[in-house]
């Protein structure tokens, strides 16, 4: 899920398909220049992208800054014939955009995959009065924290 800040300052999330993780660590998505997310990123570049593992035992939250560009040459390099469903005019579509997220922070949680282990953690928390553990949690911050504006970061 990709989250941006809408014009009314509320957060807005939508499903997005990660095209690739670039060698520099940035995330690449394909979208349309006319999309709301592109307008929202132009107004406030702070974005969050959240992932969940297939088995529901790993969660990743990526905070960063997004930029959208129209780059037909790069779109051709990324092109896959199945993308024609979203871009009927092909990789040269004048409305195509590449959304890049430069990562500022990554958080991840690795939780027990067994429902029995999770249930035992809940039972133990209820019996002891201590909060249930959500598994291993780590945070990695890249570079200096970005300046905050708007409601995020307050």
């Amino acid at each position: 899920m990709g989250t941006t800040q809408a014009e009314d300052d509320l957060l807005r999330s939508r499903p997005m398909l990660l095209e690739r993780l670039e060698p520099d660590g940035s995330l690449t998505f394909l979208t349309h220049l006319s999309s709301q997310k592109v307008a929202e990123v132009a107004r406030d570049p702070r974005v969050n992208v959240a992932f969940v593992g297939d088995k529901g035992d790993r969660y990743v939250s990526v905070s960063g800054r997004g930029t959208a560009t129209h780059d037909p040459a790069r779109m051709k390099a990324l092109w896959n014939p199945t993308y024609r469903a979203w871009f009927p005019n092909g990789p040269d579509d004048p409305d195509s955009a590449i959304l890049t997220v430069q990562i500022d922070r990554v958080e991840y949680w690795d939780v027990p995959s067994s429902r029995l282990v999770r249930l035992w953690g809940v039972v133990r928390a209820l019996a002891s009065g201590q909060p249930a553990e959500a598994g291993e949690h780590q945070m990695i911050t890249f570079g200096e924290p970005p300046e905050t504006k708007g409601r995020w970061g307050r």
Side-chain angles (χ1 to χ4, degrees), residues 47-75:
V47 299
N48 182 273
V49 183
F51 301 93
V52 62
D54 291 341
K55 297 177 183 173
D57 58 347
R58 290 193 180 103
Y59 301 86
V60 177
S61 174
V62 177
S63 300
R65 291 162 281 114
T67 55
T69 58
H70 176 69
D71 185 342
R74 189 161 175 229
M75 186 66 115

Side-chain angles (χ1 to χ4, degrees), residues 79-96:
W79 189 254
N80 177 318
T82 60
Y83 295 159
R84 196 166 292 281
W86 293 274
F87 301 96
N89 295 323
D92 293 318
D93 190 325
D95 191 39
S96 68

Side-chain angles (χ1 to χ4, degrees), residues 68-147:
T69 58
H70 176 69
D71 185 342
R74 189 161 175 229
M75 186 66 115
K76 285 178 185 175
L78 296 170
W79 189 254
N80 177 318
T82 60
Y83 295 159
R84 196 166 292 281
W86 293 274
F87 301 96
N89 295 323
D92 293 318
D93 190 325
D95 191 39
S96 68
I98 298 171
L99 177 64
T100 302
V101 176
Q102 294 296 326
I103 299 171
D104 292 322
R105 179 182 300 148
V106 175
E107 289 188 76
Y108 75 89
W109 295 261
D110 193 359
V111 298
S113 58
S114 162
R115 290 193 185 269
L116 186 58
V117 171
R118 288 186 204 176
L119 179 61
W120 171 246
V122 170
V123 169
R124 187 175 58 211
L126 290 171
S128 68
Q130 299 295 316
E133 293 296 324
E136 180 184 352
H137 171 252
Q138 295 291 324
M139 181 174 16
I140 303 166
T141 301
F142 299 86
E144 296 294 318
E147 288 186 38

Side-chain angles (χ1 to χ4, degrees), residues 12-85:
R12 186 158 185 271
S13 298
R14 78 275 290 154
M16 295 178 66
L17 177 64
L18 177 65
E19 169 57 32
R20 68 178 52 176
L21 172 62
E22 299 293 347
D24 68 358
S26 62
L27 305 177
T28 298
F29 301 89
L30 304 183
T31 189
H32 294 92
L33 286 173
S34 61
S35 69
Q36 278 187 306
K37 70 179 136 316
V38 168
E40 291 165 357
V41 165
R43 193 176 67 72
D44 185 337
R46 291 173 296 158
V47 299
N48 182 273
V49 183
F51 301 93
V52 62
D54 291 341
K55 297 177 183 173
D57 58 347
R58 290 193 180 103
Y59 301 86
V60 177
S61 174
V62 177
S63 300
R65 291 162 281 114
T67 55
T69 58
H70 176 69
D71 185 342
R74 189 161 175 229
M75 186 66 115
K76 285 178 185 175
L78 296 170
W79 189 254
N80 177 318
T82 60
Y83 295 159
R84 196 166 292 281

